[in-house]
Structures are given as structure tokens and as C-alpha cells.
Amino acid sequence: MPTAPFPAPRAAAASSGPTVAIDIGGTKIAGALVHPDGTMTATTRRPTPRGVDADGVMAAVAEVVAELSESPLWSAAVRCGIGSAGPVDASRGTVSPVNIGAWREFPVQERVVAELAAHGADLPTVLAGDGVAMTAAEHWLGAARGHANALCMVVSTGVGGGLILNNQLHPGPTGNAGHIGHISVAFDGEPCVCGSRGCVESIASGTAIARWALDQGWTPSDTGSGTGSAGSAGAGGGDATAAGVAAAAAAGDPIALAAFDRAGRALAAAIAATATLVETDIAVIGGGVAAAGDTLFAPIRHHLAAYATLSFVKDIQVVPAVLGTHAGLIGAAAAATMLLPSSSS
């Protein structure tokens, strides 16, 4: 966590109180009070409930709000930001997270506002998808800090993202602008779960990387050494996820290397297209697949040279995100701070 003070995100810098931040994902629901200098207090988390109905999941969110309300700084809070796995519809305040099956068009913003009020906090509240929240976080305190125009991406089970344009977060009317995972980069490619074809997500997500490698004959090694592509190792187990493919690629496995090269090419094509459209000068990539480091970033940068050829995009930087597990809460707060009107506390 940052210890030195940072300027608050634009749009609500005049409000000196903390922001209530709630981060909702498939494995955990977290909360914190995020202060204008980027520090967090009263941090709490709960596992995302499984095998319950919509209200059962909401009960865990309510517990997080209740615990935050016990902080002596609760009464000073000036706004609330909710970051959630998607799909989201920020215009309606609803979410339908792929990894939270009990929530379909769930009115999470309305329900959180009610919980805040029940604890004496009548706060303006914003809902942002996790890709948009990560973008706000990286622009405020992370790898995109100081860049007026940035594309930030989460490459994990899916591929999401968000945009900073002219130093402003640009979520779009429903909160889905910058959703780079569903840009088509292969017009005759395989069908995507979204209904289109050849989407970035269908090629570069962790799920897609692992599936393609397995389809090409790669076999995960029990030791993670990557020797299994010949089919002799790992027959009884091994890591068949993108992390296993990354380990195999690092050990020189040709199929694993090809899987990451293919993913890197898809990401490069989408980054170049986005940069050409809106003139971003940096692409920040986070998420579980980005943990592969140069195994992912080297092919992205290699292929980017062939796609980003115009003078105004050829120098675009591609860098890893730096906030890691803090990005959800920091991002929920930053998105609320950037999207809500400035007001004094």
C-alpha cells in the first residue's frame, strides 16, 4: 500500500472524507474505507457464499457494510464505490456476475444504498465493473498514473478492461466501455460465449489458453516442468490451467509457447485497434494470466510492432499492472471519486 500521499482522483478531490469501497468477486467480498491519499482502513472481507440464493449472497455484502460502519471514521465517509465482477449495467445498478450464479440482474447498487442508510450513511453511490475499477485504480496510484489516455485490461478467466480518456474515467452509458475482451480479432474465428466470433477473450483468456494448449496435444506435467506436451508426463494429473501452461512455456515447451504467442497476438491486435481509435499511449495489463510475466508480455510486444504501425500509436507502452490484490478496493473508491460530482464534506 502507498504510504506517501497522492493527489485524489479528479472530480471529487474537494471531498476530504473517506470513500466506502466494496469489491465483489466470485471468491470474496471485501470492503474498506479508502482515504484521499490512497490509504485504506477498516479493511474486511468475507468469502462469497456458495449454494445460496441472491439474498444469501447479499447477506455477506451486508455483513461487510456493517463491519465498516463500526469504524470511528464511518461518519466522515462522503461516497461509496462498488466494484463488481460482471456483466454489469451501471445505468440500472444491476449485476449478473458469471461467477456468482445466484445474481442475475441483481440490483446491487440499490441494495447497498439501503444497507448504508441502515447504518446511518446516506451516501451517493457508484457501481463499476471490475475492469473499470481496475482502470481507475491503476490511473490513480498504479502503472497508468500520469497518463492522460490509457487502456487498462484484466486478463484472467475472462478479458475485461476500461479506458481513461483526457484524464477522465470513461465507463460509457452502461459501464462497459473499454470491454476489450469482446473485440473480434479473428473474423472467422471460433464462436465466443458472447455470441460473436474470434473475440480476444476466446483466444487470450486463461481458460482459452489452457483449452487451446490441451487441444493441440499438450499434457500438463505433474511437476509443472512443462515436459508433458509429448503426452508421456502428467497423465494422472498436473496443472491444466493457464498457470500450468505458463510454467510449461517457461520451460520451453513448444505447444505452451505457441499458446501464449497466440494469446499475445490477439491482445496486441486489440491493443493496437483501441490505441488507433482513441489514441491511448499506454496499455496496462493485470489479472492472473499477466502473472506469467514475459511469457505473456514478450509476444504482446513482439506482435504489437506489426499492428501498431501508425505514427501516433507505434510508441504505445505495454506494462504490467502494479496494484495487484488492492486494485479492487482502490478501484471502487477511485471510480466513485472520479464519477461522482465534486462536493465538500
Side-chain angles (χ1 to χ4, degrees):
M1 287 301 301
T3 54
F6 289 89
R10 294 191 178 205
S15 297
S16 58
T19 298
V20 177
I22 299 172
D23 178 25
I24 301 171
T27 60
K28 60 93 174 59
I29 296 168
L33 298 181
V34 180
H35 300 270
D37 64 355
T39 57
M40 296 193 300
T41 57
T43 306
T44 183
R45 62 186 290 164
R46 300 283 188 283
T48 303
R50 298 291 178 188
V52 299
D53 62 10
D55 285 336
V57 178
M58 185 62 209
V61 179
E63 289 176 5
V64 166
V65 173
E67 187 166 337
L68 292 177
S69 73
E70 296 172 3
S71 167
L73 298 174
W74 176 255
S75 62
V78 294
R79 67 186 74 84
C80 176
I82 309 163
S84 176
V88 306
D89 185 341
S91 67
R92 298 171 58 223
T94 61
V95 296
S96 304
V98 172
N99 48 11
I100 305 178
W103 278 4
R104 289 295 173 266
E105 297 188 5
F106 184 76
V108 67
Q109 183 169 330
E110 176 185 326
R111 296 289 296 272
V112 167
V113 167
E115 290 297 328
L116 293 170
H119 293 280
D122 183 13
L123 300 178
T125 301
V126 160
L127 169 65
D130 50 7
V132 171
M134 175 264 195
T135 299
E138 291 291 333
H139 183 253
W140 181 20
L141 299 177
R145 187 167 178 250
H147 290 265
N149 301 286
L151 165 68
C152 297
M153 305 168 59
V154 180
V155 184
S156 186
T157 306
V159 177
L163 291 167
I164 296 289
L165 300 178
N166 195 26
N167 277 315
Q168 300 296 320
L169 188 63
H170 182 74
T174 67
N176 291 287
H179 200 338
I180 194 169
H182 294 290
I183 289 177
S184 179
V185 291
F187 70 87
D188 57 353
E190 63 183 81
C192 178
V193 293
C194 75
S196 184
R197 283 187 171 272
C199 291
V200 175
E201 184 172 298
S202 70
I203 299 171
S205 70
T207 306
I209 289 169
R211 182 179 64 245
W212 187 87
L214 290 165
D215 287 348
Q216 300 304 306
W218 173 73
T219 304
S221 169
D222 284 323
T223 63
S225 65
T227 59
S229 66
S232 60
D239 186 354
T241 69
V245 181
D253 183 283
I255 293 177
L257 285 166
F260 270 89
D261 184 75
R262 180 174 179 266
R265 184 178 183 184
L267 291 166
I271 290 167
T274 303
T276 302
L277 187 66
V278 296
E279 288 199 58
T280 57
D281 59 8
I282 190 170
V284 177
I285 305 178
V289 176
D294 280 347
T295 299
L296 177 67
F297 283 89
I300 292 174
R301 291 167 179 146
H302 169 74
H303 288 294
L304 195 58
Y307 290 109
T309 57
L310 292 169
S311 60
F312 61 94
V313 295
K314 65 182 180 65
D315 294 325
I316 186 170
Q317 302 175 54
V318 178
V319 301
V322 299
L323 294 177
T325 57
H326 299 308
L329 288 169
I330 294 291
T337 305
M338 297 176 80
L339 296 174
L340 289 168
S342 176
S343 62
S344 62
S345 57

